[in-house]
């Protein structure tokens, strides 16, 4: 075995003590290539260190310090010998002891590492591996990574709060974990909502179940003038979605893409009732995509009972004194009846 790259490149490591399964030069090389090859400082923790080959490779590639943890007496002697061979003895600490206990001590001393390497014996008990993995994030610095070498399928373990990728090299799986950044998914539900219908509310509710936050954007459509002012339309929506904690209602005066950018949204949610909706929605989605390629339009299929329902139908029925019960949410029934029938009367009077 040799050091693959860095300041000690090519230096030979000593003989492997019995019972230790060292990582092959090829896997070590691939592993460090996936990590970014070379480093500028920081500390590395090599758990179940065996011959210390992984930690030594990290020192050779630029890590400033390393802590090696190993229980087996002969393996500890091999690590010390390899540190002498590579000249890294002054940058290393070799701890003989049980990994779980050493982790506790390091955590108590508030030691942090940019890289934690873990190559446990393949026959390690699942419960021990799980317990060790669950403690590792407390030792990891903000941008740090945890590398686990394992003989089992990576899907059999994970680290809470971390996301991992796994590569397979023959019978060896190498999983690299980094902290999962918590990103909030914000979606915009745009429309004229003139007025909001039971179908709209169903789509908003379902979107709120998928995304962290939904902003209902009450917009104007230059191609058709709204009957009610946007403030009034927004007020009606607020009345019926007020019980949904992750939904807010806002007025959109400009372009939808600008509204989405201002609100940090990457998704537009629209309801699709039937094939007849598709053409216009497809056109709008393409136009928006052209203006802001990172913005995705997602369609939620309307419930069957809403497939015939539209704001224009509600306007017409309410305007002519018909019953819109079931077509708009119960809480705004009277307001819709009043506002849209009054609106129709004014229109008729104007015509007359
Ligand atoms: O309920 P509607 O009438 O289908 O809603 C249409 C709305 C408001 C979503 C759409 O007209 C819109 O996005 N308006 C904002 C102006 C805009 O961005 N136009 C260009 C994309 S079509």
């Amino acid at each position: 075995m040799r050091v693959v790259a860095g300041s000690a490149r090519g230096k030979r490591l000593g003989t492997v003590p019995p019972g230790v399964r060292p990582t092959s030069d090829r896997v070590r090389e691939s592993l460090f290539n996936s990590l970014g090859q070379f480093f500028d400082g920081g500390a590395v923790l090599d758990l179940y260190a065996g011959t210390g080959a992984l930690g030594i490779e990290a020192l050779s590639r630029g890590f400033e310090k390393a802590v090696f943890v190993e229980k087996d007496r002969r393996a500890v002697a091999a690590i010390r010998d390899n540190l002498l061979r590579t000249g890294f003895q002054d940058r290393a600490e070799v701890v003989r002891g049980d990994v779980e206990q050493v982790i506790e001590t390091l955590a108590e001393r508030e030691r942090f590492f940019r890289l934690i390497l873990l190559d446990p014996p393949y026959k390690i008990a699942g419960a021990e591996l799980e317990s060790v993995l669950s403690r590792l994030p407390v030792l990891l610095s903000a941008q740090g990574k945890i590398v686990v070498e394992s003989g089992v399928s990576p899907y059999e373990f994970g680290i809470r709060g971390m996301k991992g990728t796994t590569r397979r090299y023959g019978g060896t799986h190498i999983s690299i974990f980094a902290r999962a950044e918590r990103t909030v998914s914000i979606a915009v539900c745009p429309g004229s909502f003139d007025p909001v219908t039971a179908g709209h509310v169903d789509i908003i509710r379902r979107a709120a179940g998928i995304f962290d936050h939904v902003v209902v954007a009450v917009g104007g459509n230059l191609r058709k003038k709204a009957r009610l002012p946007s403030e009034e339309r927004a007020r009606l929506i607020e009345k019926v979605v007020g019980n949904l904690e992750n939904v807010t209602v806002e007025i959109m005066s400009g372009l939808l893409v600008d509204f989405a950018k201002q609100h940090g949204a990457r998704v537009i949610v629209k309801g699709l009732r039937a094939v007849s909706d598709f053409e216009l929605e497809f056109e709008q989605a393409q136009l928006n995509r052209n203006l802001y390629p990172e913005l995705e339009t997602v369609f939620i299929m309307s419930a069957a009972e809403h497939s015939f329902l539209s704001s224009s139908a509600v306007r017409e029925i309410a305007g002519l004194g018909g019953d819109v019960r079931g077509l708009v949410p119960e809480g705004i029934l009277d307001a819709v009846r009043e506002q849209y029938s009054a609106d129709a009367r004014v229109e008729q009077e104007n015509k007359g």
Side-chain angles (χ1 to χ4, degrees), residues 206-320:
R206 286 158 67 191
I210 300 171
F211 299 97
D212 293 321
H213 192 84
V214 173
V215 186
V216 179
V218 184
N221 187 336
L222 290 183
R223 290 174 245 191
K224 56 174 190 225
K225 193 178 172 311
R227 297 286 170 94
L228 285 192
S230 49
E231 291 77 13
E232 198 50 43
R233 284 179 276 138
R235 204 181 60 79
L236 291 178
I237 303 170
E238 264 163 1
K239 263 190 147 179
V240 290
V241 298
N243 59 331
L244 300 174
E245 267 179 22
N246 60 337
V247 176
T248 48
V249 183
E250 290 191 34
I251 290 161
M252 169 174 71
S253 45
L255 282 175
L256 175 56
V257 290
D258 293 334
F259 182 91
K261 277 182 203 165
Q262 282 156 14
H263 290 79
R266 286 290 188 80
V267 179
I268 296 174
V269 173
K270 295 205 115 185
L272 209 52
R273 288 167 300 188
V275 179
S276 50
D277 275 347
F278 179 77
E279 216 166 311
L280 183 62
E281 292 299 346
F282 187 64
E283 180 191 308
Q284 290 191 14
Q286 299 292 9
L287 286 169
N288 287 326
R289 193 172 155 74
N290 208 38
L291 292 166
Y292 180 17
E294 286 81 27
L295 192 66
E296 289 293 350
T297 303
V298 169
F299 293 101
I300 294 183
M301 301 304 146
S302 291
E305 64 267 31
H306 299 141
S307 58
F308 60 91
L309 183 52
S310 66
S311 294
S312 56
V314 170
R315 279 198 306 272
E316 188 161 324
I317 296 170
L320 298 171

Side-chain angles (χ1 to χ4, degrees), residues 19-37:
V20 171
R21 174 191 41 78
T23 308
S24 71
D25 289 359
R26 190 178 71 86
V27 174
R28 237 179 315 135
E29 182 169 11
S30 310
L31 186 166
F32 280 92
N33 285 352
S34 356
L35 286 173
Q37 296 221 40

Side-chain angles (χ1 to χ4, degrees), residues 52-231:
L54 285 176
I56 287 172
E57 189 71 37
L59 286 172
S60 177
R61 292 176 186 239
F63 272 89
E64 195 189 334
K65 287 205 160 83
V67 175
F68 296 85
V69 183
E70 176 54 62
K71 195 155 73 174
D72 184 83
R73 187 179 45 80
R74 280 174 301 187
V76 166
I79 298 167
R80 293 215 163 98
D81 174 50
N82 284 333
L83 286 167
L84 284 171
R85 287 167 180 263
T86 46
F88 292 140
Q89 65 278 16
D90 296 337
R91 286 161 56 193
E93 210 181 306
V94 184
V95 183
R96 185 173 167 214
D98 176 74
V99 165
E100 279 186 283
Q101 278 166 13
V102 177
I103 289 175
E104 288 313 314
T105 312
L106 292 169
E108 275 163 24
R109 293 183 186 162
E110 297 187 7
R111 298 277 299 266
F112 294 103
F113 299 89
R114 260 179 74 189
L115 181 64
I116 300 178
L117 302 161
L118 192 90
D119 183 9
Y122 283 1
K123 58 181 189 329
I124 186 176
E128 181 184 336
L129 182 60
E130 220 171 273
S131 151
V132 167
L133 288 174
S134 71
R135 293 294 291 143
L136 293 183
V138 297
L139 300 177
L140 198 66
S141 58
Q143 304 300 323
K145 289 191 174 148
I146 298 173
V147 177
V148 186
E149 190 176 329
S150 154
V152 298
S153 155
Y155 304 108
E156 289 173 23
F157 60 81
I159 308 178
R160 203 171 168 188
M162 309 211 69
K163 60 176 189 315
T165 51
T166 298
R167 288 205 189 148
R168 196 176 158 187
Y169 305 92
T172 308
H173 295 91
I174 300 281
S175 303
I176 301 177
F177 293 93
R179 284 185 205 284
E181 277 172 36
R182 178 90 181 94
T183 50
V184 178
S185 58
I186 302 170
V188 173
C189 243
S192 318
F193 304 109
D194 189 26
V196 63
T197 66
H200 289 134
V201 175
D202 182 47
I203 299 294
I204 295 168
R205 195 188 303 279
R206 286 158 67 191
I210 300 171
F211 299 97
D212 293 321
H213 192 84
V214 173
V215 186
V216 179
V218 184
N221 187 336
L222 290 183
R223 290 174 245 191
K224 56 174 190 225
K225 193 178 172 311
R227 297 286 170 94
L228 285 192
S230 49
E231 291 77 13

